[in-house]
Amino acid sequence: MVILAQLINGLATGGLYALVAAGIAMIFGVSELVNWAHGEFLMIASYLFFALYVLARLPYPIAGLCTMLLMLAFGALFQMIVIRPVVHRPWQTQLVATLGASIFLINSAIVVFGTFPRRAATPLSMQNLTIGSLSISYQRLLLIGLTLFAFFVLHMFIHRAKLGKAMRAVSQNRDACVAVGIDIQLIVLTAFAIGGSLVGLAAALYAPLGNITPLMGIPLTFKAFAVVIMGGFGSVNGAVASAVILGVVEAFTIQFLSSAYVDAMSFLMMLTVLVWRPFGLFGRQVGI
Amino acid sequence: MRWHRLVVWLLIAAVLALWPLYVGSPYLVGVSITVLIYIALALSFDLVVGRTGLLSFAHPGFFGIGAYTAALLGLHLGSPFPLRLGAAVVTAVLASIIIGVPSFRLSYHSFAMGTLGFAFIAQIIALNWIPVTRGPLCLPGVPPVDLRMGSWTWSATTLSENYYVVLILATITLWIVVRVAHSRIGRTLMAIRDDETLAKAVGVPVLRYKMLAFVTGAGVAGSLGSFFASYASAVCPTELGIAYSVNLIIILFLGGRGTLAGPILGAILFTGLPEFLRMAEAWRLVVYGLLIILASALVPEGIITWAFEMWQKRREGPQLGSAPLAN
Amino acid sequence: MPTLEPDHDILVFDKVEATYGEAPILRGVSFGVHKGKITTLIGPNGAGKSTVLRAALGTVRVTHGQIVYRHQPITGVSTTDRQRKGMAYCPQGRSNFPRMTVRENLEMGAFLRSDREVQEDIETLLDEFPLLREKQKEFAANLSGGQQQILEMAMALILHPRILLIDEPSLGLSPIMVEQVFAYVKEINGQGVTVLMVEQNARRALAISDYGIVLDLGRVRLKDTGEALLNNEEVSRSYLGS
Ligand SMILES: Nc1ncnc2c1ncn2[C@@H]1O[C@H](COP(=O)(O)OP(=O)(O)O)[C@@H](O)[C@H]1O
Ligand SMILES: [Mg+2]
């Protein structure tokens, strides 16, 4: 029973990591740029959710949906303001630009909300489903369910929608995109917008389970990035699979080892994978 | 023309030597020490970033490892500072070899992330290896920088004395970096940075050169760590934190990579700017964040390189080399 | 759709200079492309042939002179607008999406179209290129080099272009495939599409071309009919090899 409970907890955490990592992987796939501010997207989204749900008292589903939509716009704006001026620069410059954005966002949140943690508990996060000795909060179950659904929608989008197919196209051959008239900047913008909305969903689902703080995004960027590397750079599926594995490994680390080393787990796993298979767990299948 | 230059150097040396007397206030001497530590760290970091083109997040880790080594030796064995410094350099170098060998197999982003992973794990070890590091309680009471010759002993107890010690260390760092930059090694590193494929094609052992830069930088960082442990008289796990990596990266990218003046200017701006921007920490960092975003869009090669290009354009002289190697 | 136009030059380069950075690559290139004909650009490696096509498409910076397309100067017109106005482009080297199916590749070729007839047009094209129909569910990467070249041509045709700019279609293909690719070029031209082609395989290309242009060091050295160039001794010696 303990194992089952930890498995479900791990899947829920893995879902969170997957929602963040999918955005990083997708953005990398279409632009070869790593967004080091992606964890801060989640932090901003969590505060947005807090403002809508706790302060403005919108019903939970509406607050969640609005968070997603606002984050969609946020992702697009971020691309236009921070990324566009550096698209033709070397990768180090791009990295530093997103690092600057991350510092800006974290400290703006400190200025606006202060450093003490906020909470946005929902009725679902305060009730547990109890079967025998197994006890799981409904919020986690909702998180797992909606994350699965979100990835189903994303998969359909990437494989069926014209814009989604164009995203795959950009990740496979940029010169050919110019030849057929695909506007690469538009596709990169789309990736940022989708990345933003995935993180918006993550915030709406996960913020009720934990503390909202200005620094909450930092470990998430690292972990998500670690999973993206484990999954083979730019492969969304690989990142999602690695995220789930990491979530479960972390849950069992807490249960059976110690919570002190749980944050090192992601890096240990990543370093092991990198040494053992430099192109990621799933080989060299670059592309979305 | 040579005595011309000599006079300039002597003037700079005199100003730096008299500086603590001039500013007087202990607070400002303290700030100057921080600036000098950052200058030296940035210069050594630039050996990796500016000259190999790779972004390492492990650099402050070596600083921290040096600090812990020196602190432990000082606390438990009462070793004198030169020994602590030497041991700090050796452990930092060893750590850099252990980290570098697997990391240099990775490219670009993975290298950044791999080195970040090592730095992160080092910090977690420092936080949780309580019997040795006392974890978050830090290691207090590290003895000051000292020299012993027979019965003669001297120790840096005042701020000014510490200032002179770090000034010497920073000067040595500058000397090492200049030597590397102007040697065959430095030119090879630049060639690798500019066109790695070509360098490989003409038979340059690329990996060995990159390792060399990485290890040298780590040794310098370790020595600075040993000074820091004595200066602060305590070492905490936060010294290994990634916040330092971020600061160093910002310093290099604001100032200018692959130059000597760039890291120096960057460090002065970065640590000096707060004195002008007298505002709450968070607000200041908001401004920093904005500055970094703007700088990466407008002066991506750093202020120094940009200023140098402007100056060259104004002179409309023949195009000399691209990057100014302040010499 | 096609109005009655005088049989005239559809694309005109007028003293065009173009550059990627500082050094000029095209140094005052002037020529016209006859509507409905095949014109081939030949010349040594690095002469700037590919750059001519890129200048026409607007992906390289033109610093002097102008390019006139269908009697309108197109300076300042975006690449995608040029494509919407009937310029299609097959770049040098592989320019398909390797891990997308043949059909998806064709859909991407139609990216700029938003009408509902795209799927019908894809069917028509698949009829025209039976080998593509056979492989429509395969990843492009699983096609042979020649098949991929034909796929890329089909991707360009789906925009119903007036002019096809095609860069070294025979590069790296087996002799049999070269024949087939040139046959398709001829066929496409037969359907009324003007062709401006760059070719290293100069003899074979000139043989199917109406006109030829010799480019060297960013300048036009000679313009003539394909046949005349083939029979020109100096061209033979300097540019056709043997
Ligand atoms: N993307 C580019 N950036 C800079 N220079 C280029 C680029 N593409 C081509 N060149 C240069 O332009 C010149 C002409 O190239 P190109 O038009 O490709 O020649 P061709 O197709 O005739 O072989 C060459 O010297 C080449 O080095
Ligand atoms: Mg060419």
Side-chain angles (χ1 to χ4, degrees), chain C residues 162-177:
Chain C
R162 290 167 196 275
I163 180 167
L164 174 66
L165 311 169
I166 184 165
D167 201 342
E168 304 212 16
S170 78
L171 191 72
L173 301 189
S174 66
I176 301 171
M177 277 325 286

PDB file of all heavy atoms in Angstrom, chain C residues 162-177:
ATOM      1  N   ARG C 162       4.209  30.084 -60.723  1.00  0.00           N
ATOM      2  CA  ARG C 162       4.418  30.547 -62.088  1.00  0.00           C
ATOM      3  C   ARG C 162       5.861  30.293 -62.473  1.00  0.00           C
ATOM      4  O   ARG C 162       6.179  30.084 -63.628  1.00  0.00           O
ATOM      5  CB  ARG C 162       4.182  32.057 -62.183  1.00  0.00           C
ATOM      6  CG  ARG C 162       2.740  32.435 -62.012  1.00  0.00           C
ATOM      7  CD  ARG C 162       2.652  33.938 -61.806  1.00  0.00           C
ATOM      8  NE  ARG C 162       1.356  34.263 -61.275  1.00  0.00           N
ATOM      9  CZ  ARG C 162       0.280  34.456 -62.041  1.00  0.00           C
ATOM     10  NH1 ARG C 162       0.378  34.379 -63.351  1.00  0.00           N
ATOM     11  NH2 ARG C 162      -0.866  34.743 -61.494  1.00  0.00           N
ATOM     12  N   ILE C 163       6.737  30.364 -61.449  1.00  0.00           N
ATOM     13  CA  ILE C 163       8.146  30.109 -61.739  1.00  0.00           C
ATOM     14  C   ILE C 163       8.717  29.215 -60.655  1.00  0.00           C
ATOM     15  O   ILE C 163       8.402  29.369 -59.479  1.00  0.00           O
ATOM     16  CB  ILE C 163       8.953  31.435 -61.839  1.00  0.00           C
ATOM     17  CG1 ILE C 163      10.430  31.139 -62.153  1.00  0.00           C
ATOM     18  CG2 ILE C 163       8.848  32.256 -60.560  1.00  0.00           C
ATOM     19  CD1 ILE C 163      11.205  32.377 -62.566  1.00  0.00           C
ATOM     20  N   LEU C 164       9.517  28.237 -61.092  1.00  0.00           N
ATOM     21  CA  LEU C 164      10.154  27.325 -60.141  1.00  0.00           C
ATOM     22  C   LEU C 164      11.644  27.637 -60.114  1.00  0.00           C
ATOM     23  O   LEU C 164      12.308  27.590 -61.151  1.00  0.00           O
ATOM     24  CB  LEU C 164       9.928  25.875 -60.568  1.00  0.00           C
ATOM     25  CG  LEU C 164      10.649  24.805 -59.758  1.00  0.00           C
ATOM     26  CD1 LEU C 164      10.135  24.759 -58.329  1.00  0.00           C
ATOM     27  CD2 LEU C 164      10.493  23.431 -60.413  1.00  0.00           C
ATOM     28  N   LEU C 165      12.142  27.996 -58.927  1.00  0.00           N
ATOM     29  CA  LEU C 165      13.569  28.223 -58.763  1.00  0.00           C
ATOM     30  C   LEU C 165      14.133  26.945 -58.169  1.00  0.00           C
ATOM     31  O   LEU C 165      13.790  26.576 -57.047  1.00  0.00           O
ATOM     32  CB  LEU C 165      13.824  29.384 -57.799  1.00  0.00           C
ATOM     33  CG  LEU C 165      13.026  30.667 -58.073  1.00  0.00           C
ATOM     34  CD1 LEU C 165      13.146  31.635 -56.907  1.00  0.00           C
ATOM     35  CD2 LEU C 165      13.526  31.330 -59.354  1.00  0.00           C
ATOM     36  N   ILE C 166      14.976  26.256 -58.940  1.00  0.00           N
ATOM     37  CA  ILE C 166      15.418  24.945 -58.448  1.00  0.00           C
ATOM     38  C   ILE C 166      16.924  24.849 -58.476  1.00  0.00           C
ATOM     39  O   ILE C 166      17.571  25.147 -59.490  1.00  0.00           O
ATOM     40  CB  ILE C 166      14.707  23.806 -59.225  1.00  0.00           C
ATOM     41  CG1 ILE C 166      15.086  22.443 -58.655  1.00  0.00           C
ATOM     42  CG2 ILE C 166      14.957  23.882 -60.713  1.00  0.00           C
ATOM     43  CD1 ILE C 166      14.150  21.339 -59.127  1.00  0.00           C
ATOM     44  N   ASP C 167      17.504  24.500 -57.333  1.00  0.00           N
ATOM     45  CA  ASP C 167      18.949  24.567 -57.135  1.00  0.00           C
ATOM     46  C   ASP C 167      19.568  23.169 -57.145  1.00  0.00           C
ATOM     47  O   ASP C 167      19.320  22.365 -56.249  1.00  0.00           O
ATOM     48  CB  ASP C 167      19.247  25.270 -55.800  1.00  0.00           C
ATOM     49  CG  ASP C 167      20.668  25.826 -55.757  1.00  0.00           C
ATOM     50  OD1 ASP C 167      21.496  25.381 -56.565  1.00  0.00           O
ATOM     51  OD2 ASP C 167      20.934  26.699 -54.917  1.00  0.00           O
ATOM     52  N   GLU C 168      20.348  22.887 -58.163  1.00  0.00           N
ATOM     53  CA  GLU C 168      21.074  21.617 -58.302  1.00  0.00           C
ATOM     54  C   GLU C 168      20.226  20.380 -57.999  1.00  0.00           C
ATOM     55  O   GLU C 168      20.543  19.625 -57.077  1.00  0.00           O
ATOM     56  CB  GLU C 168      22.320  21.631 -57.394  1.00  0.00           C
ATOM     57  CG  GLU C 168      23.198  22.820 -57.717  1.00  0.00           C
ATOM     58  CD  GLU C 168      24.669  22.543 -57.497  1.00  0.00           C
ATOM     59  OE1 GLU C 168      25.036  21.367 -57.390  1.00  0.00           O
ATOM     60  OE2 GLU C 168      25.441  23.515 -57.459  1.00  0.00           O
ATOM     61  N   PRO C 169      19.185  20.170 -58.753  1.00  0.00           N
ATOM     62  CA  PRO C 169      18.335  19.004 -58.468  1.00  0.00           C
ATOM     63  C   PRO C 169      19.054  17.677 -58.693  1.00  0.00           C
ATOM     64  O   PRO C 169      18.642  16.677 -58.113  1.00  0.00           O
ATOM     65  CB  PRO C 169      17.170  19.167 -59.459  1.00  0.00           C
ATOM     66  CG  PRO C 169      17.689  20.047 -60.534  1.00  0.00           C
ATOM     67  CD  PRO C 169      18.679  20.958 -59.889  1.00  0.00           C
ATOM     68  N   SER C 170      20.104  17.656 -59.473  1.00  0.00           N
ATOM     69  CA  SER C 170      20.729  16.361 -59.766  1.00  0.00           C
ATOM     70  C   SER C 170      21.865  16.024 -58.816  1.00  0.00           C
ATOM     71  O   SER C 170      22.509  14.987 -58.946  1.00  0.00           O
ATOM     72  CB  SER C 170      21.257  16.353 -61.207  1.00  0.00           C
ATOM     73  OG  SER C 170      22.469  17.069 -61.270  1.00  0.00           O
ATOM     74  N   LEU C 171      22.089  16.915 -57.829  1.00  0.00           N
ATOM     75  CA  LEU C 171      23.234  16.733 -56.934  1.00  0.00           C
ATOM     76  C   LEU C 171      23.193  15.386 -56.218  1.00  0.00           C
ATOM     77  O   LEU C 171      22.237  15.047 -55.542  1.00  0.00           O
ATOM     78  CB  LEU C 171      23.237  17.859 -55.895  1.00  0.00           C
ATOM     79  CG  LEU C 171      24.488  17.975 -55.039  1.00  0.00           C
ATOM     80  CD1 LEU C 171      25.653  18.508 -55.849  1.00  0.00           C
ATOM     81  CD2 LEU C 171      24.215  18.901 -53.857  1.00  0.00           C
ATOM     82  N   GLY C 172      24.225  14.611 -56.398  1.00  0.00           N
ATOM     83  CA  GLY C 172      24.368  13.357 -55.658  1.00  0.00           C
ATOM     84  C   GLY C 172      23.450  12.238 -56.101  1.00  0.00           C
ATOM     85  O   GLY C 172      23.267  11.273 -55.375  1.00  0.00           O
ATOM     86  N   LEU C 173      22.828  12.360 -57.277  1.00  0.00           N
ATOM     87  CA  LEU C 173      21.908  11.309 -57.706  1.00  0.00           C
ATOM     88  C   LEU C 173      22.596  10.342 -58.668  1.00  0.00           C
ATOM     89  O   LEU C 173      23.560  10.688 -59.345  1.00  0.00           O
ATOM     90  CB  LEU C 173      20.690  11.916 -58.395  1.00  0.00           C
ATOM     91  CG  LEU C 173      19.870  12.894 -57.550  1.00  0.00           C
ATOM     92  CD1 LEU C 173      18.591  13.250 -58.276  1.00  0.00           C
ATOM     93  CD2 LEU C 173      19.569  12.307 -56.187  1.00  0.00           C
ATOM     94  N   SER C 174      22.050   9.131 -58.745  1.00  0.00           N
ATOM     95  CA  SER C 174      22.572   8.160 -59.694  1.00  0.00           C
ATOM     96  C   SER C 174      22.173   8.598 -61.106  1.00  0.00           C
ATOM     97  O   SER C 174      21.186   9.311 -61.275  1.00  0.00           O
ATOM     98  CB  SER C 174      21.970   6.790 -59.401  1.00  0.00           C
ATOM     99  OG  SER C 174      20.577   6.842 -59.649  1.00  0.00           O
ATOM    100  N   PRO C 175      22.955   8.188 -62.121  1.00  0.00           N
ATOM    101  CA  PRO C 175      22.674   8.629 -63.500  1.00  0.00           C
ATOM    102  C   PRO C 175      21.219   8.392 -63.913  1.00  0.00           C
ATOM    103  O   PRO C 175      20.615   9.240 -64.571  1.00  0.00           O
ATOM    104  CB  PRO C 175      23.634   7.783 -64.330  1.00  0.00           C
ATOM    105  CG  PRO C 175      24.747   7.448 -63.404  1.00  0.00           C
ATOM    106  CD  PRO C 175      24.159   7.358 -62.041  1.00  0.00           C
ATOM    107  N   ILE C 176      20.654   7.276 -63.502  1.00  0.00           N
ATOM    108  CA  ILE C 176      19.266   7.009 -63.908  1.00  0.00           C
ATOM    109  C   ILE C 176      18.323   8.020 -63.283  1.00  0.00           C
ATOM    110  O   ILE C 176      17.431   8.554 -63.933  1.00  0.00           O
ATOM    111  CB  ILE C 176      18.846   5.583 -63.484  1.00  0.00           C
ATOM    112  CG1 ILE C 176      19.793   4.576 -64.141  1.00  0.00           C
ATOM    113  CG2 ILE C 176      17.404   5.315 -63.848  1.00  0.00           C
ATOM    114  CD1 ILE C 176      19.611   3.167 -63.624  1.00  0.00           C
ATOM    115  N   MET C 177      18.552   8.310 -61.997  1.00  0.00           N
ATOM    116  CA  MET C 177      17.701   9.271 -61.316  1.00  0.00           C
ATOM    117  C   MET C 177      17.869  10.650 -61.917  1.00  0.00           C
ATOM    118  O   MET C 177      16.915  11.416 -62.011  1.00  0.00           O
ATOM    119  CB  MET C 177      18.013   9.309 -59.812  1.00  0.00           C
ATOM    120  CG  MET C 177      17.349   8.243 -58.954  1.00  0.00           C
ATOM    121  SD  MET C 177      15.695   7.754 -59.449  1.00  0.00           S
ATOM    122  CE  MET C 177      14.723   9.138 -58.933  1.00  0.00           C
TER     123      MET C 177
END
